[in-house]
Amino acid sequence: MKRIILALVAFCFTLPVFAQQEENYIQVNGTSEIEITPNQFFLSITLDESDSKGRQAIELQRKQMISTLKSLGIDTEKQLTMANMSSSYFKRGTSLSVAKYQLELSQVEQVVNVYDKLSEIGISDINISRVSHTDMEQYKSKCRQEAMKNAQNIATELAAAVGQKIGSCIYIYDSNRGITPSYYNDGIMLMRSFAKATNEVAEEQTPVEFKKITINYSITTKFRLLE
């Protein structure tokens, strides 16, 4: 029993020491931001019988779409996928089929050409659903590492201001904000199409540029303070 009591007393005396050691640190936030130019463009294409003259069958629209895309050098088997197909029923009892597709492209010029060529055959319900980059994970990893280095540099600078140095990192919290979504206005595409229809030069006046993808990270860290 005496040994147990002595052990408890010794443990109690060491508590202030541990508490003092835990307080001997500096906490800082490190941030990083990277902007990259997208090289993946995902378009949403909707085929709707109501948009075609004489309610052109969905199947015919699909064949025309595929033929047009192939003429632009697009591999429809790899780059074009069906999202869904649905039917809407009206009061008159007629049904209207709607088919949605997703098209993946790798160049801005392809996006412009697809919009222009599909609009010429009566397919105008085209939207940019999202953009990405083939090396996105590598860029995200780079951004995280830079955020950590930023935290270390800040901790070093602050400690030096009071005549101290930092030791090992004892705490890391990745408060990831990730990728900032980019929103695009398809009105630019509509302006190009309208200008083309009215024999205006749209390409030179309204060049299509995509916003860069912004990746940002914020990391909270704690470094030991050395005398």
Side-chain angles (χ1 to χ4, degrees):
M1 179 63 70
K2 290 183 179 180
R3 292 181 179 178
I4 296 176
I5 294 175
L6 289 174
L8 289 174
V9 172
F11 178 72
C12 291
F13 276 110
T14 58
L15 284 179
V17 177
F18 288 134
Q20 184 177 3
Q21 289 178 350
E22 289 181 359
E23 292 176 357
N24 195 24
Y25 66 82
I26 179 172
Q27 177 175 320
V28 297
N29 291 329
T31 60
S32 177
E33 182 175 290
I34 296 177
E35 288 188 342
I36 59 177
T37 302
N39 67 358
Q40 285 182 306
F41 308 91
F42 296 88
L43 306 186
S44 174
I45 304 174
T46 301
L47 305 182
D48 193 328
E49 288 182 357
S50 65
D51 293 336
S52 61
K53 296 180 180 180
R55 293 193 174 180
Q56 194 174 38
I58 291 293
E59 180 60 21
L60 180 55
Q61 291 186 51
R62 187 187 70 84
K63 290 181 179 179
Q64 291 179 338
M65 175 184 67
I66 292 177
S67 177
T68 300
L69 294 178
K70 286 183 177 180
S71 69
L72 295 174
I74 296 172
D75 188 342
T76 55
E77 293 185 0
K78 295 181 178 180
Q79 298 174 246
L80 182 67
T81 57
M82 174 172 278
N84 61 60
M85 178 176 283
S86 61
S87 296
S88 300
Y89 294 90
F90 297 90
K91 293 181 179 180
R92 296 181 179 179
T94 58
S95 62
L96 183 65
S97 297
V98 177
K100 294 185 178 181
Y101 291 83
Q102 177 177 277
L103 179 65
E104 180 180 350
L105 302 173
S106 59
Q107 298 177 5
V108 176
E109 292 77 10
Q110 288 181 323
V111 177
V112 175
N113 291 336
V114 165
Y115 190 94
D116 288 341
K117 294 301 180 181
L118 290 185
S119 296
E120 290 178 1
I121 62 174
I123 301 175
S124 58
D125 193 348
I126 308 169
N127 298 292
I128 304 167
S129 56
R130 65 186 178 92
V131 298
S132 186
H133 196 283
T134 51
D135 297 325
M136 182 60 68
E137 292 305 316
Q138 288 87 329
Y139 280 110
K140 289 169 66 176
S141 177
K142 179 182 178 181
C143 194
R144 281 194 296 266
Q145 293 177 37
E146 290 186 356
M148 188 64 199
K149 291 178 181 178
N150 176 249
Q152 185 180 34
N153 292 336
I154 294 174
T156 300
E157 180 181 350
L158 293 177
V162 292
Q164 293 182 293
K165 297 180 180 180
I166 64 168
S168 59
C169 182
I170 59 175
Y171 175 83
I172 300 175
Y173 175 67
D174 183 1
S175 54
N176 171 28
R177 288 182 292 164
I179 301 174
T180 302
S182 298
Y183 300 96
Y184 299 96
N185 185 2
D186 290 329
I188 295 179
M189 296 293 189
L190 293 174
M191 289 172 58
R192 287 174 53 84
S193 180
F194 176 77
K196 185 176 181 180
T198 55
N199 296 321
E200 296 179 9
V201 181
E203 285 76 4
E204 295 181 359
Q205 295 179 359
T206 56
V208 177
E209 295 183 359
F210 285 84
K211 296 178 182 177
K212 292 185 177 181
I213 303 171
T214 302
I215 304 175
N216 45 54
Y217 276 93
S218 177
I219 295 179
T220 301
T221 62
K222 294 179 182 179
F223 291 88
R224 294 189 186 280
L225 275 177
L226 307 177
E227 297 294 336

mmCIF file with all atom_site columns, all heavy atoms in Angstrom, residues 177-190:
data_model
loop_
_atom_site.group_PDB
_atom_site.id
_atom_site.type_symbol
_atom_site.label_atom_id
_atom_site.label_alt_id
_atom_site.label_comp_id
_atom_site.label_asym_id
_atom_site.label_entity_id
_atom_site.label_seq_id
_atom_site.pdbx_PDB_ins_code
_atom_site.Cartn_x
_atom_site.Cartn_y
_atom_site.Cartn_z
_atom_site.occupancy
_atom_site.B_iso_or_equiv
_atom_site.pdbx_formal_charge
_atom_site.auth_seq_id
_atom_site.auth_comp_id
_atom_site.auth_asym_id
_atom_site.auth_atom_id
_atom_site.pdbx_PDB_model_num
ATOM 1   N N   . ARG A 1 177 ? -9.703  23.207 -47.189 1.00 0.00 ? 177 ARG A N   1
ATOM 2   C CA  . ARG A 1 177 ? -10.781 23.860 -47.930 1.00 0.00 ? 177 ARG A CA  1
ATOM 3   C C   . ARG A 1 177 ? -10.864 23.321 -49.350 1.00 0.00 ? 177 ARG A C   1
ATOM 4   O O   . ARG A 1 177 ? -11.869 23.471 -50.025 1.00 0.00 ? 177 ARG A O   1
ATOM 5   C CB  . ARG A 1 177 ? -10.564 25.378 -47.961 1.00 0.00 ? 177 ARG A CB  1
ATOM 6   C CG  . ARG A 1 177 ? -10.809 26.070 -46.624 1.00 0.00 ? 177 ARG A CG  1
ATOM 7   C CD  . ARG A 1 177 ? -10.618 27.553 -46.757 1.00 0.00 ? 177 ARG A CD  1
ATOM 8   N NE  . ARG A 1 177 ? -9.218  27.886 -46.995 1.00 0.00 ? 177 ARG A NE  1
ATOM 9   C CZ  . ARG A 1 177 ? -8.812  29.069 -47.459 1.00 0.00 ? 177 ARG A CZ  1
ATOM 10  N NH1 . ARG A 1 177 ? -9.693  29.982 -47.782 1.00 0.00 ? 177 ARG A NH1 1
ATOM 11  N NH2 . ARG A 1 177 ? -7.533  29.315 -47.636 1.00 0.00 ? 177 ARG A NH2 1
ATOM 12  N N   . GLY A 1 178 ? -9.755  22.713 -49.789 1.00 0.00 ? 178 GLY A N   1
ATOM 13  C CA  . GLY A 1 178 ? -9.768  22.036 -51.079 1.00 0.00 ? 178 GLY A CA  1
ATOM 14  C C   . GLY A 1 178 ? -9.842  22.962 -52.267 1.00 0.00 ? 178 GLY A C   1
ATOM 15  O O   . GLY A 1 178 ? -9.167  23.974 -52.342 1.00 0.00 ? 178 GLY A O   1
ATOM 16  N N   . ILE A 1 179 ? -10.729 22.612 -53.194 1.00 0.00 ? 179 ILE A N   1
ATOM 17  C CA  . ILE A 1 179 ? -10.807 23.313 -54.468 1.00 0.00 ? 179 ILE A CA  1
ATOM 18  C C   . ILE A 1 179 ? -11.946 24.325 -54.454 1.00 0.00 ? 179 ILE A C   1
ATOM 19  O O   . ILE A 1 179 ? -13.059 24.015 -54.060 1.00 0.00 ? 179 ILE A O   1
ATOM 20  C CB  . ILE A 1 179 ? -11.017 22.317 -55.618 1.00 0.00 ? 179 ILE A CB  1
ATOM 21  C CG1 . ILE A 1 179 ? -9.864  21.305 -55.646 1.00 0.00 ? 179 ILE A CG1 1
ATOM 22  C CG2 . ILE A 1 179 ? -11.145 23.027 -56.949 1.00 0.00 ? 179 ILE A CG2 1
ATOM 23  C CD1 . ILE A 1 179 ? -10.059 20.215 -56.647 1.00 0.00 ? 179 ILE A CD1 1
ATOM 24  N N   . THR A 1 180 ? -11.630 25.536 -54.879 1.00 0.00 ? 180 THR A N   1
ATOM 25  C CA  . THR A 1 180 ? -12.657 26.560 -55.005 1.00 0.00 ? 180 THR A CA  1
ATOM 26  C C   . THR A 1 180 ? -13.408 26.358 -56.321 1.00 0.00 ? 180 THR A C   1
ATOM 27  O O   . THR A 1 180 ? -12.801 26.362 -57.391 1.00 0.00 ? 180 THR A O   1
ATOM 28  C CB  . THR A 1 180 ? -12.041 27.965 -55.000 1.00 0.00 ? 180 THR A CB  1
ATOM 29  O OG1 . THR A 1 180 ? -11.307 28.141 -53.783 1.00 0.00 ? 180 THR A OG1 1
ATOM 30  C CG2 . THR A 1 180 ? -13.124 29.032 -55.105 1.00 0.00 ? 180 THR A CG2 1
ATOM 31  N N   . PRO A 1 181 ? -14.732 26.153 -56.265 1.00 0.00 ? 181 PRO A N   1
ATOM 32  C CA  . PRO A 1 181 ? -15.474 25.907 -57.515 1.00 0.00 ? 181 PRO A CA  1
ATOM 33  C C   . PRO A 1 181 ? -15.470 27.120 -58.426 1.00 0.00 ? 181 PRO A C   1
ATOM 34  O O   . PRO A 1 181 ? -15.506 28.259 -57.967 1.00 0.00 ? 181 PRO A O   1
ATOM 35  C CB  . PRO A 1 181 ? -16.897 25.596 -57.017 1.00 0.00 ? 181 PRO A CB  1
ATOM 36  C CG  . PRO A 1 181 ? -16.977 26.256 -55.679 1.00 0.00 ? 181 PRO A CG  1
ATOM 37  C CD  . PRO A 1 181 ? -15.594 26.160 -55.092 1.00 0.00 ? 181 PRO A CD  1
ATOM 38  N N   . SER A 1 182 ? -15.391 26.863 -59.717 1.00 0.00 ? 182 SER A N   1
ATOM 39  C CA  . SER A 1 182 ? -15.421 27.931 -60.715 1.00 0.00 ? 182 SER A CA  1
ATOM 40  C C   . SER A 1 182 ? -16.739 27.867 -61.470 1.00 0.00 ? 182 SER A C   1
ATOM 41  O O   . SER A 1 182 ? -17.182 26.797 -61.872 1.00 0.00 ? 182 SER A O   1
ATOM 42  C CB  . SER A 1 182 ? -14.242 27.788 -61.686 1.00 0.00 ? 182 SER A CB  1
ATOM 43  O OG  . SER A 1 182 ? -13.011 27.912 -61.006 1.00 0.00 ? 182 SER A OG  1
ATOM 44  N N   . TYR A 1 183 ? -17.350 29.017 -61.626 1.00 0.00 ? 183 TYR A N   1
ATOM 45  C CA  . TYR A 1 183 ? -18.630 29.075 -62.326 1.00 0.00 ? 183 TYR A CA  1
ATOM 46  C C   . TYR A 1 183 ? -18.439 29.786 -63.660 1.00 0.00 ? 183 TYR A C   1
ATOM 47  O O   . TYR A 1 183 ? -17.719 30.791 -63.745 1.00 0.00 ? 183 TYR A O   1
ATOM 48  C CB  . TYR A 1 183 ? -19.667 29.810 -61.478 1.00 0.00 ? 183 TYR A CB  1
ATOM 49  C CG  . TYR A 1 183 ? -19.914 29.147 -60.157 1.00 0.00 ? 183 TYR A CG  1
ATOM 50  C CD1 . TYR A 1 183 ? -19.251 29.576 -59.010 1.00 0.00 ? 183 TYR A CD1 1
ATOM 51  C CD2 . TYR A 1 183 ? -20.792 28.068 -60.047 1.00 0.00 ? 183 TYR A CD2 1
ATOM 52  C CE1 . TYR A 1 183 ? -19.465 28.959 -57.786 1.00 0.00 ? 183 TYR A CE1 1
ATOM 53  C CE2 . TYR A 1 183 ? -21.013 27.448 -58.828 1.00 0.00 ? 183 TYR A CE2 1
ATOM 54  C CZ  . TYR A 1 183 ? -20.349 27.898 -57.706 1.00 0.00 ? 183 TYR A CZ  1
ATOM 55  O OH  . TYR A 1 183 ? -20.544 27.285 -56.500 1.00 0.00 ? 183 TYR A OH  1
ATOM 56  N N   . TYR A 1 184 ? -19.087 29.261 -64.678 1.00 0.00 ? 184 TYR A N   1
ATOM 57  C CA  . TYR A 1 184 ? -18.901 29.789 -66.017 1.00 0.00 ? 184 TYR A CA  1
ATOM 58  C C   . TYR A 1 184 ? -20.224 30.287 -66.582 1.00 0.00 ? 184 TYR A C   1
ATOM 59  O O   . TYR A 1 184 ? -21.278 29.708 -66.337 1.00 0.00 ? 184 TYR A O   1
ATOM 60  C CB  . TYR A 1 184 ? -18.304 28.718 -66.933 1.00 0.00 ? 184 TYR A CB  1
ATOM 61  C CG  . TYR A 1 184 ? -16.953 28.257 -66.465 1.00 0.00 ? 184 TYR A CG  1
ATOM 62  C CD1 . TYR A 1 184 ? -16.826 27.119 -65.681 1.00 0.00 ? 184 TYR A CD1 1
ATOM 63  C CD2 . TYR A 1 184 ? -15.812 28.972 -66.776 1.00 0.00 ? 184 TYR A CD2 1
ATOM 64  C CE1 . TYR A 1 184 ? -15.588 26.709 -65.230 1.00 0.00 ? 184 TYR A CE1 1
ATOM 65  C CE2 . TYR A 1 184 ? -14.575 28.577 -66.338 1.00 0.00 ? 184 TYR A CE2 1
ATOM 66  C CZ  . TYR A 1 184 ? -14.468 27.433 -65.562 1.00 0.00 ? 184 TYR A CZ  1
ATOM 67  O OH  . TYR A 1 184 ? -13.243 27.034 -65.101 1.00 0.00 ? 184 TYR A OH  1
ATOM 68  N N   . ASN A 1 185 ? -20.099 31.345 -67.347 1.00 0.00 ? 185 ASN A N   1
ATOM 69  C CA  . ASN A 1 185 ? -21.278 31.938 -67.962 1.00 0.00 ? 185 ASN A CA  1
ATOM 70  C C   . ASN A 1 185 ? -21.362 31.484 -69.413 1.00 0.00 ? 185 ASN A C   1
ATOM 71  O O   . ASN A 1 185 ? -20.541 31.870 -70.239 1.00 0.00 ? 185 ASN A O   1
ATOM 72  C CB  . ASN A 1 185 ? -21.195 33.465 -67.885 1.00 0.00 ? 185 ASN A CB  1
ATOM 73  C CG  . ASN A 1 185 ? -22.455 34.133 -68.404 1.00 0.00 ? 185 ASN A CG  1
ATOM 74  O OD1 . ASN A 1 185 ? -23.405 33.460 -68.788 1.00 0.00 ? 185 ASN A OD1 1
ATOM 75  N ND2 . ASN A 1 185 ? -22.462 35.440 -68.398 1.00 0.00 ? 185 ASN A ND2 1
ATOM 76  N N   . ASP A 1 186 ? -22.354 30.647 -69.696 1.00 0.00 ? 186 ASP A N   1
ATOM 77  C CA  . ASP A 1 186 ? -22.505 30.155 -71.065 1.00 0.00 ? 186 ASP A CA  1
ATOM 78  C C   . ASP A 1 186 ? -22.960 31.249 -72.021 1.00 0.00 ? 186 ASP A C   1
ATOM 79  O O   . ASP A 1 186 ? -23.099 31.025 -73.207 1.00 0.00 ? 186 ASP A O   1
ATOM 80  C CB  . ASP A 1 186 ? -23.514 29.000 -71.099 1.00 0.00 ? 186 ASP A CB  1
ATOM 81  C CG  . ASP A 1 186 ? -22.942 27.763 -70.423 1.00 0.00 ? 186 ASP A CG  1
ATOM 82  O OD1 . ASP A 1 186 ? -21.716 27.590 -70.477 1.00 0.00 ? 186 ASP A OD1 1
ATOM 83  O OD2 . ASP A 1 186 ? -23.722 26.999 -69.846 1.00 0.00 ? 186 ASP A OD2 1
ATOM 84  N N   . GLY A 1 187 ? -23.210 32.446 -71.481 1.00 0.00 ? 187 GLY A N   1
ATOM 85  C CA  . GLY A 1 187 ? -23.603 33.553 -72.342 1.00 0.00 ? 187 GLY A CA  1
ATOM 86  C C   . GLY A 1 187 ? -22.542 33.898 -73.366 1.00 0.00 ? 187 GLY A C   1
ATOM 87  O O   . GLY A 1 187 ? -22.847 34.393 -74.451 1.00 0.00 ? 187 GLY A O   1
ATOM 88  N N   . ILE A 1 188 ? -21.270 33.650 -73.027 1.00 0.00 ? 188 ILE A N   1
ATOM 89  C CA  . ILE A 1 188 ? -20.193 33.912 -73.989 1.00 0.00 ? 188 ILE A CA  1
ATOM 90  C C   . ILE A 1 188 ? -20.389 33.052 -75.226 1.00 0.00 ? 188 ILE A C   1
ATOM 91  O O   . ILE A 1 188 ? -20.238 33.496 -76.358 1.00 0.00 ? 188 ILE A O   1
ATOM 92  C CB  . ILE A 1 188 ? -18.818 33.634 -73.347 1.00 0.00 ? 188 ILE A CB  1
ATOM 93  C CG1 . ILE A 1 188 ? -18.565 34.620 -72.211 1.00 0.00 ? 188 ILE A CG1 1
ATOM 94  C CG2 . ILE A 1 188 ? -17.714 33.733 -74.379 1.00 0.00 ? 188 ILE A CG2 1
ATOM 95  C CD1 . ILE A 1 188 ? -17.248 34.397 -71.499 1.00 0.00 ? 188 ILE A CD1 1
ATOM 96  N N   . MET A 1 189 ? -20.734 31.790 -74.999 1.00 0.00 ? 189 MET A N   1
ATOM 97  C CA  . MET A 1 189 ? -20.961 30.882 -76.115 1.00 0.00 ? 189 MET A CA  1
ATOM 98  C C   . MET A 1 189 ? -22.156 31.351 -76.940 1.00 0.00 ? 189 MET A C   1
ATOM 99  O O   . MET A 1 189 ? -22.143 31.304 -78.164 1.00 0.00 ? 189 MET A O   1
ATOM 100 C CB  . MET A 1 189 ? -21.224 29.473 -75.587 1.00 0.00 ? 189 MET A CB  1
ATOM 101 C CG  . MET A 1 189 ? -20.055 28.855 -74.844 1.00 0.00 ? 189 MET A CG  1
ATOM 102 S SD  . MET A 1 189 ? -18.669 28.518 -75.941 1.00 0.00 ? 189 MET A SD  1
ATOM 103 C CE  . MET A 1 189 ? -17.619 27.582 -74.842 1.00 0.00 ? 189 MET A CE  1
ATOM 104 N N   . LEU A 1 190 ? -23.197 31.822 -76.259 1.00 0.00 ? 190 LEU A N   1
ATOM 105 C CA  . LEU A 1 190 ? -24.384 32.278 -76.966 1.00 0.00 ? 190 LEU A CA  1
ATOM 106 C C   . LEU A 1 190 ? -24.061 33.505 -77.819 1.00 0.00 ? 190 LEU A C   1
ATOM 107 O O   . LEU A 1 190 ? -24.549 33.646 -78.933 1.00 0.00 ? 190 LEU A O   1
ATOM 108 C CB  . LEU A 1 190 ? -25.493 32.604 -75.960 1.00 0.00 ? 190 LEU A CB  1
ATOM 109 C CG  . LEU A 1 190 ? -26.061 31.412 -75.192 1.00 0.00 ? 190 LEU A CG  1
ATOM 110 C CD1 . LEU A 1 190 ? -27.035 31.886 -74.127 1.00 0.00 ? 190 LEU A CD1 1
ATOM 111 C CD2 . LEU A 1 190 ? -26.750 30.440 -76.136 1.00 0.00 ? 190 LEU A CD2 1
#
